[in-house]
Amino acid sequence: DTAVSQTPKYLVTQMGNDKSIKCEQNLGHDTMYWYKQDSKKFLKIMFSYNNKELIINETVPNRFSPKSPDKAHLNLHINSLELGDSAVYFCASSQGYGRGQPQHFGDGTRLSIL
Amino acid sequence: GDSVTQMEGPVTLSEEAFLTINCTYTATGYPSLFWYVQYPGEGLQLLLKATKADDKGSNKGFEATYRKETTSFHLEKGSVQVSDSAVYFCALSDILTGGGNKLTFGTGTQLKVEL
């Protein structure tokens, strides 16, 4: 059973398009995250939701909009895609947001902008 | 702000060699420290963690000790295997003033183990 699942695994699209990435976790966690991993493997947090409430919103362009319909899902919608958006996007979840809580990651969505 | 510095890779070792990957951090609060591992084409998996000074995290033969005095959390393994080939990330987690907990990652160190 996949704990944190993301779809699609690969996403190839043209510049200027709008796309969404979906994330679901079946761990019963109440906090979910989106991270971006660039071509040099550097990981940076983008957003975090706790019980459907936004609690972390890093400096991310307004073209990126997370949506959490319930605490098991956190989707990422991206408008007007740009070349610089090419990256691997990881969803993660944790039980609460205490500093010792480990985060569980999905396998990533590789976004390529043509 | 918080930051994590880890040694650049790739690190190439022969099977059964001793592994050390250095990690140091700066943090405004009292962070928890983690090592995550990423195998090719996969997401990150928690390898081990430590939540307070002098704690030792261990898993699958890997160990790391939280050293507050040197702000370090070096990863070690006594005898590596080919299956340990992956990218290893050091990370810290701290509570944010407005609520929430975010992981700050190092740049990752690629480990290649050869027969």
Side-chain angles (χ1 to χ4, degrees), chain B residues 11-54:
Chain B
V11 173
T12 303
L13 295 173
S14 298
E15 202 169 44
E16 299 184 2
F18 184 86
L19 168 71
T20 300
I21 301 178
N22 290 337
C23 171
T24 57
Y25 68 90
T26 58
T28 51
Y30 193 156
S32 290
L33 302 173
F34 302 84
W35 278 99
Y36 281 84
V37 57
Q38 185 177 27
Y39 298 100
E42 298 183 12
L44 280 74
Q45 300 175 25
L46 177 68
L47 183 58
L48 52 85
K49 73 171 189 177
T51 58
K52 62 183 189 296
D54 301 324

Side-chain angles (χ1 to χ4, degrees), chain A residues 9 33 35 37 40-43 45 48 55-56 58 90 94 96-108, chain B residues 30-32 34 36 38 41-44 46 49 51 87 89 93-96 98-103 105-107:
Chain A
K9 191 171 175 67
Y33 311 79
Y35 288 86
Q37 185 176 45
K40 295 184 179 178
K41 297 281 190 185
F42 185 67
L43 276 149
I45 192 165
S48 176
I55 55 172
I56 295 175
E58 293 290 283
F90 286 100
S94 68
Y97 50 77
R99 65 175 181 77
Q101 291 297 330
Q103 295 178 18
H104 299 253
F105 286 77
D107 285 343
Chain B
Y30 193 156
S32 290
F34 302 84
Y36 281 84
Q38 185 177 27
E42 298 183 12
L44 280 74
L46 177 68
K49 73 171 189 177
T51 58
V87 181
F89 291 91
S93 168
D94 208 351
I95 300 293
L96 302 173
N101 155 25
K102 70 173 188 179
L103 282 173
F105 286 93
T107 51

Side-chain angles (χ1 to χ4, degrees), chain A residues 6-71:
Chain A
Q6 302 178 221
T7 53
K9 191 171 175 67
Y10 299 96
L11 186 52
V12 181
T13 189
Q14 304 270 3
M15 210 165 47
N17 284 350
D18 303 338
K19 290 293 177 186
S20 292
I21 306 171
K22 295 186 176 181
C23 178
E24 175 182 7
Q25 54 92 5
N26 63 5
L27 296 166
H29 290 166
D30 53 12
T31 306
M32 296 184 73
Y33 311 79
W34 276 110
Y35 288 86
K36 179 179 180 181
Q37 185 176 45
D38 64 23
S39 58
K40 295 184 179 178
K41 297 281 190 185
F42 185 67
L43 276 149
K44 187 170 167 56
I45 192 165
M46 301 172 69
F47 302 103
S48 176
Y49 271 73
N50 177 258
N51 279 320
K52 303 193 297 174
E53 181 182 342
L54 181 66
I55 55 172
I56 295 175
N57 184 353
E58 293 290 283
T59 307
V60 176
N62 290 340
R63 299 181 295 102
F64 290 80
S65 54
K67 284 191 170 49
S68 182
D70 56 60
K71 69 178 191 178

